[in-house]
Amino acid sequence: MRNATIKDVAEQAGVSLKTVSRVINNEPSVHARTREKVQRAIEALDYRPDPSARSLRSTRAYAVGLVYDNPNAHYVISMQSGVLAACRANGYGLQIHPCDSTSPRLADELVSLAAQARLAGMVLAPPMSEKPELIRRLTAAKIPFMRIISARKDPQDGYPCVYVDDRDAAYAITEHLIQLGHTRIGFLWGGRDHRSSPERYQGYEDALKDYGIALDRKLILPGDYSFDDGFRGARKLLALKDRPTAIFGSNDEIAAGVLAAAHSGGISVPWELSIAGFEDSPFSKQSWPALTTARQATEEIAHHAAQRLIGNLQREANGEPLEEGNEGFSPELVVRGSTAPLRGTPAKR
């Protein structure tokens, strides 16, 4: 049985091909009753527009690129799912492009990608979204984009973004550990090329300062957003003569590595060591004990970023002003079994 075509939809709805095209492209010039007729015909025929074929037939492009460089598989999958949902809802295709954020030819690579793949625009995940030189180059090449960045507030820097308040969420996690009676709290960094890493560290440092706890540099170690770095970092911290009673890993993969290191060393979690992560990935719920973390709605964030990009593309095509302002998200503290009051110390209220 052959797939339905745009001509079939037009015939069933009793409208022109151009009207069907306008409905598919979400153009505002179509009367509500006509739009409803066309949408009913699309559903009845199970018509699915082919974005690549549509791009070839017109001067407009109907594909969005998702550009990322992140070792965290859960983060990448959630990002892809969110962007894909927005693309499908608006009749756009999705081009997934992993890349090396440290490459000196990154800007050339993405400009070439946009031309060769006929991309309408790009969603830039961290750390690409946080590289000023790359942003300026894409702007100069007139390639539309939407950034996903770490920031406490709207940066208002003239470039569109969806931003995540990592600092306040990290503050809440550290405050939670302090209120449980912990004062020797280790901190394991994520990748320094991600703005989220210094933002999360700032939340940790600010909480210690606000509660009058001296910063101990021996409890702070560099690393990347990976299980292996969490395991190695935890082994170093737990080997200290005056070891920490709690460790905050900059994401759940790091925290899972800390948990494995504690188990391998015969250290009881949470009674001898409290552990917290960041992200609320699936294995944060599946580990034993389940991890205290910050719930970051990565899929929703990515969906909003793609939706805002596509909305701006459609506004531009219709000669309308682009959406003003940027959208922010705040991860929320989730307390689970990996954190508990310091033994012999009542939790503070």
Side-chain angles (χ1 to χ4, degrees), residues 104 107 128 130-140 159:
M128 274 71 62
E130 299 163 344
K131 293 182 174 294
E133 290 183 12
L134 174 62
I135 298 306
R136 287 193 290 268
R137 178 69 185 282
L138 294 179
T139 301
Y159 302 112

Side-chain angles (χ1 to χ4, degrees), residues 38-288:
V38 173
Q39 288 173 337
R40 281 203 304 265
I42 288 172
E43 291 173 9
L45 295 169
D46 194 26
Y47 171 66
R48 300 175 186 274
D50 182 346
S52 59
R54 189 157 44 127
S55 292
L56 290 172
R57 288 194 301 267
S58 71
T59 57
R60 285 182 62 186
Y62 291 93
V64 167
L66 170 61
V67 182
Y68 66 87
D69 178 10
N70 193 306
N72 185 334
H74 167 69
Y75 179 86
V76 170
I77 292 169
S78 297
M79 190 74 63
Q80 290 177 2
S81 298
V83 175
L84 181 59
C87 288
R88 282 179 171 167
N90 291 279
Y92 278 69
L94 175 60
Q95 173 91 28
I96 296 170
H97 187 75
C99 60
D100 178 4
S101 62
T102 64
S103 170
R105 295 188 54 79
L106 178 61
D108 291 336
E109 178 184 338
L110 296 189
V111 170
S112 177
L113 171 71
Q116 292 177 2
R118 292 205 68 198
L119 298 182
M122 296 181 179
V123 173
L124 302 175
M128 274 71 62
S129 57
E130 299 163 344
K131 293 182 174 294
E133 290 183 12
L134 174 62
I135 298 306
R136 287 193 290 268
R137 178 69 185 282
L138 294 179
T139 301
K142 298 183 178 180
I143 299 170
F145 58 82
M146 184 63 62
R147 301 173 296 161
I148 298 174
I149 66 171
S150 177
R152 290 186 65 184
K153 59 184 180 179
D154 187 343
Q156 297 183 335
D157 56 4
Y159 302 112
C161 73
V162 169
Y163 60 96
V164 181
D165 186 355
D166 289 282
R167 182 270 176 195
D168 280 4
Y171 186 104
I173 290 171
T174 309
E175 183 177 53
H176 164 69
L177 294 171
I178 293 169
Q179 290 177 345
L180 291 174
H182 299 279
T183 57
R184 290 193 58 75
I185 303 170
F187 183 86
L188 299 179
W189 274 72
R192 286 184 183 265
D193 56 341
H194 290 255
R195 190 185 295 172
S196 59
S197 295
E199 289 286 327
R200 292 173 192 180
Y201 173 76
Q202 193 63 55
Y204 161 82
E205 185 179 287
D206 288 350
L208 293 181
K209 182 179 179 181
D210 287 351
Y211 278 85
I213 299 171
L215 193 67
D216 186 343
R217 296 289 176 186
K218 294 193 297 294
L219 298 181
I220 303 164
L221 295 178
D224 203 351
Y225 285 124
S226 70
F227 176 94
D228 289 345
D229 277 30
F231 186 87
R232 284 191 292 265
R235 291 290 291 267
K236 291 178 182 177
L237 292 177
L238 297 174
L240 293 173
K241 185 175 181 181
D242 190 8
R243 74 188 190 195
T245 61
I247 297 177
F248 176 8
S250 288
N251 76 345
D252 289 341
E253 285 200 44
I254 293 174
V258 175
L259 185 60
H263 288 330
S264 69
I267 296 171
S268 174
V269 178
W271 309 117
E272 294 178 286
L273 178 71
S274 284
I275 301 171
F278 198 112
E279 195 175 288
D280 196 33
S281 60
F283 53 78
S284 70
K285 309 175 190 70
Q286 298 159 0
S287 63
W288 183 258

